[in-house]
Amino acid sequence: MRPWSTSPLMRALRSATPGTGHLPWQGALSADNTPHDDDPGAPRARHVRTVWISDVHLGTPGCQAHALLDFLKHVECDTLYLVGDIVDGWQLRRSWYWPQAHNDVIQKLLRKARKGTRVIFIPGNHDEFGRKYLGHNFGGIEVAEEWLHTTADGRLLWITHGDLYDGVIQCARWLAYVGDSAYEFVLRLNRHLNSWRARMGLPYWSLSRYLKLKVKRAVSYVNDFEEALARETHKRGAQGVVCGHIHHAEMRDIGGVLYCNDGDWVESLTALVEHADGRLEILDWAAELTQAQTQVQAQAQTKTSKATAAAQ
């Protein structure tokens, strides 16, 4: 067990250990994807006004850190919100896991802050240690309990991780820990399943995401969570809410309130972005990487065909 009582961000930076990861779309990730490589001319490069990401769960084997690094490299923004569960303190207390790619994510975020992006960190339940540092600034990253964001078209959005409005977290914390352990088991099973699917040439598929959408009680839990946040948003006089917590990317109207969940970087690999005109969009980076992988394969086949033709 490692203490998280002082300077959690710096402790994470000092505790990096080498590690590797494998994704079905690994070929689509750039060969040099270090946190110091910004490469503004790289493929898929774009600029948006605001980005929201959450539920990265650095410190767990399920974290898709390489995909997140690719996203952070190719998407620039004026303001970046880290909407909770960026570092998984629950898992790190049970077993220390911190490969180099997780350290690279932290360094990439710090580099963005140094280069002028406003980075705001809103702690969640898995990185609740951050709530001891509300109002502080770590390397340019501001820590806040919640936030009010005004879009380019004048809408007021309330930003919160969402765990404070989750009945399980608030009323039966022990059950949340049990559920977290079960979730880790499903993710381990999912990694083995997708390794097999990758060998068979099949696309990535999330078992845990499938279960959430198919199991009746899970669907009811998600609906209750979304409606609770919509009611709270209405009370606060905001037009919309941006949250994370339940690992289910969604953008829809609930009783006149715009509910936005930015998803996660364990299962869905999604982020919420605001364009220059205030338009909101959920970016599915798994789909982007799959498309990029297809292009890489097509280019490789073209080169092989040209080389064969030249040899003949």
Side-chain angles (χ1 to χ4, degrees):
M1 180 181 294
R2 301 208 178 195
W4 284 83
S5 58
T6 59
S7 193
L9 185 59
M10 296 310 298
R11 182 175 294 278
L13 289 172
R14 291 195 299 266
S15 303
T17 55
T20 59
H22 174 75
L23 294 169
W25 47 70
Q26 192 71 37
L29 303 177
S30 58
D32 182 13
N33 202 12
T34 67
H36 301 291
D37 180 12
D38 289 290
D39 190 10
R44 307 193 310 282
R46 68 194 72 177
H47 185 278
V48 294
R49 186 172 186 261
T50 314
V51 169
W52 292 267
I53 61 173
S54 74
D55 299 276
V56 177
H57 291 275
L58 294 169
T60 69
C63 170
Q64 305 276 18
H66 291 285
L68 178 57
L69 283 167
D70 188 75
F71 171 82
L72 293 172
K73 175 180 177 179
H74 293 105
V75 179
E76 296 293 339
C77 59
D78 301 326
T79 305
L80 171 62
Y81 290 96
L82 308 175
V83 195
D85 287 1
I86 305 303
V87 176
D88 196 323
W90 290 12
Q91 177 67 25
L92 289 173
R93 290 189 189 99
R94 291 196 294 263
S95 176
W96 189 257
Y97 178 84
W98 197 268
Q100 183 59 45
H102 294 204
N103 200 58
D104 291 346
V105 169
I106 296 293
Q107 292 186 37
K108 184 69 171 176
L109 293 172
L110 290 168
R111 181 170 175 79
K112 280 186 174 292
R114 288 198 303 271
K115 292 186 68 177
T117 299
R118 188 177 189 185
V119 183
I120 300 169
F121 169 44
I122 298 171
N125 50 303
H126 283 263
D127 48 20
E128 58 192 351
F129 55 80
R131 288 173 176 154
K132 298 178 181 178
Y133 301 92
L134 299 178
H136 287 69
N137 184 303
F138 291 96
I141 298 178
E142 304 170 52
V143 185
E145 184 174 13
E146 57 184 22
W147 205 267
L148 287 173
H149 172 85
T150 303
T151 62
D153 56 5
R155 289 175 293 174
L156 187 64
L157 303 179
W158 172 44
I159 319 299
T160 179
H161 178 65
D163 61 298
L164 299 177
Y165 303 89
D166 180 344
V168 173
I169 295 291
Q170 298 305 311
C171 302
R173 195 172 181 83
W174 65 271
L175 186 58
Y177 283 112
V178 171
D180 185 59
S181 297
Y183 181 61
E184 286 294 326
F185 171 77
V186 172
L187 289 179
R188 286 197 298 271
L189 181 62
N190 196 60
R191 285 195 294 275
H192 292 300
L193 174 63
N194 276 291
S195 292
W196 174 81
R197 288 177 63 86
R199 289 195 296 271
M200 298 296 291
L202 298 172
Y204 178 81
W205 180 76
S206 174
L207 173 61
S208 55
R209 194 177 184 184
Y210 172 83
L211 292 174
K212 283 181 185 177
L213 296 175
K214 293 298 182 182
V215 177
K216 185 175 180 180
R217 292 189 66 179
V219 172
S220 177
Y221 163 77
V222 169
N223 288 338
D224 290 346
F225 172 82
E226 293 174 344
E227 290 173 3
L229 275 176
R231 288 194 300 269
E232 186 64 26
T233 303
H234 181 72
K235 291 178 183 178
R236 291 168 178 262
Q239 286 74 55
V241 59
V242 180
C243 64
H245 187 54
I246 59 173
H247 295 207
H248 179 62
E250 184 82 73
M251 189 165 61
R252 65 189 181 96
D253 182 273
I254 303 177
V257 170
L258 178 62
Y259 169 86
C260 303
N261 192 304
D262 58 27
D264 69 283
W265 290 85
V266 176
E267 304 169 55
S268 59
L269 312 189
T270 54
L272 179 71
V273 301
E274 177 197 359
H275 295 279
D277 59 359
R279 179 173 58 90
L280 300 176
E281 178 188 8
I282 293 176
L283 285 187
D284 183 344
W285 208 249
E288 297 252 357
L289 287 172
T290 299
Q291 181 181 11
Q293 173 68 10
T294 301
Q295 293 173 352
V296 168
Q297 292 172 346
Q299 290 171 358
Q301 290 174 355
T302 300
K303 288 181 180 179
T304 300
S305 298
K306 289 181 178 179
T308 302
Q312 293 174 347

